[in-house]
Amino acid sequence: IQENYWGRGARPTSKSKEQTSINSFTVKVSDADLIDLKNRLKNVRLFEALEDVGFQNGFNVDYMKELVAYWKDKYDWRKEEAHLNNFPHYKTKIEGIDVHFIHAKPKLKPGQTAKPLLIAHGWPGSVFEFYKIIPMLVDPTNHGGSEEDVFEVIAPSIPGFGFSEMPHKKGFDGLAAAQIYLKLMERLGFEKYYVQGGDFGSIVTRTMAILKPSAIKGLHTNMPSVEYGGRYMFNVMLGSVAPSWAGLTEEDYNRVYPF
């Protein structure tokens, strides 16, 4: 696991330590920003579309008018903002940027334990994807499950998505996101946990399992991917008999060919 730095400017000197505090965060958009949005919608300049077309030649202007009217006159941001704050939100600085995450803890009975679970969203997406399932995971008995099904849920926002700070250096990818998530879970005090990911989140969680298999008790993905082709199959077969020729270290070999 590398020590990356995605913050603004130069990497801090080795003498300066990164802040490791975890701070509560409330979703709150200023009135000024909402007024600005209303004004932008009010002053939107729509285009003239071709007659008798749907979306064949671009976005349909009539549907665009409906969307603008809905966001300008009907959408209640404060109501949705309150809904977003139904779960506890936090931020912590990792590798130079603020990482946002939801941390939903169940109410446990004496002697009961919860399984820690990190769930990773995809692209384009956000932690809002999990608002329906989080209550089922932290309170399974009220959703048709058993007490053994209870989870403690951590749902981070990929840097650059939602309320996580964007990386300020080029080169941020699934490997970088996986490292940040591993460091987040370590900072929260979890030595072993489960991970789940879909879409880009599946890449992140698979990479987490490869980087630190000792920490991942189980991996679930709703977007598996399979590589195939002549070159790939040749490398797989070559690696099984001559790992060094396929560029595999002994540790890589044990991960790729565990049996």
Side-chain angles (χ1 to χ4, degrees):
I1 297 180
Q2 301 174 348
E3 290 301 322
N4 296 321
Y5 180 73
W6 304 102
R8 292 184 176 88
R11 178 194 294 268
T13 62
S14 58
K15 294 182 179 179
S16 60
K17 294 184 178 179
E18 183 174 70
Q19 294 181 357
T20 58
S21 60
I22 297 173
N23 305 305
S24 61
F25 169 75
T26 301
V27 180
K28 184 172 177 59
V29 176
S30 69
D31 290 334
D33 285 339
L34 295 179
I35 292 172
D36 178 63
L37 176 59
K38 291 274 188 179
N39 288 334
R40 289 170 185 247
L41 293 169
K42 181 180 178 181
N43 297 322
V44 65
R45 293 184 296 177
L46 295 171
F47 50 89
E48 181 179 357
L50 297 174
E51 297 178 357
D52 301 321
V53 296
F55 289 84
Q56 300 95 325
N57 299 83
F59 207 91
N60 182 277
V61 69
D62 293 325
Y63 187 63
M64 177 67 78
K65 291 177 181 178
E66 293 179 14
L67 288 179
V68 170
Y70 171 74
W71 279 92
K72 180 169 63 73
D73 302 322
K74 296 181 180 180
Y75 188 81
D76 186 349
W77 167 252
R78 293 302 182 202
K79 177 182 176 181
E80 300 305 324
E81 191 176 68
H83 178 54
L84 289 175
N85 287 315
N86 281 335
F87 298 121
H89 297 251
Y90 301 90
K91 283 188 177 183
T92 188
K93 190 173 291 293
I94 302 176
E95 297 185 355
I97 54 177
D98 285 331
V99 178
H100 161 264
F101 62 98
I102 290 173
H103 191 174
K105 300 180 180 181
K107 295 180 180 179
L108 299 175
K109 296 180 180 179
Q112 186 183 17
T113 58
K115 294 181 281 288
L117 169 66
L118 180 144
I119 48 180
H121 70 82
W123 176 92
S126 72
V127 294
F128 187 67
E129 298 172 9
F130 308 128
Y131 266 61
K132 289 184 179 180
I133 198 171
I134 289 178
M136 302 178 190
L137 293 169
V138 299
D139 187 15
T141 54
N142 284 326
H143 296 87
S146 66
E147 292 183 353
E148 289 73 27
D149 299 326
V150 65
F151 288 88
E152 181 175 345
V153 178
I154 300 89
S157 295
I158 298 173
F161 288 68
F163 302 107
S164 279
E165 185 178 357
M166 63 173 283
H168 301 282
K169 305 288 190 294
K170 61 183 179 180
F172 192 90
D173 55 12
L175 172 60
Q179 292 189 152
I180 284 181
Y181 283 10
L182 286 169
K183 291 180 179 180
L184 171 63
M185 294 302 282
E186 181 179 353
R187 185 169 297 179
L188 292 173
F190 297 109
E191 295 181 358
K192 294 180 180 293
Y193 47 90
Y194 299 86
V195 292
Q196 194 283 332
D199 193 77
F200 187 74
S202 68
I203 298 174
V204 176
T205 50
R206 287 202 309 273
T207 306
M208 291 174 69
I210 293 172
L211 289 175
K212 198 172 182 181
S214 60
I216 309 303
K217 297 186 70 174
L219 163 65
H220 176 271
T221 175
N222 53 298
M223 185 180 162
S225 61
V226 178
E227 292 188 51
Y228 58 90
R231 181 178 178 183
Y232 174 76
M233 293 305 299
F234 174 77
N235 283 334
V236 169
M237 291 186 289
L238 178 64
S240 66
V241 294
S244 61
W245 291 6
L248 299 176
T249 65
E250 182 179 354
E251 185 178 10
D252 293 333
Y253 178 84
N254 292 331
R255 290 177 178 177
V256 177
Y257 309 96
F259 304 112

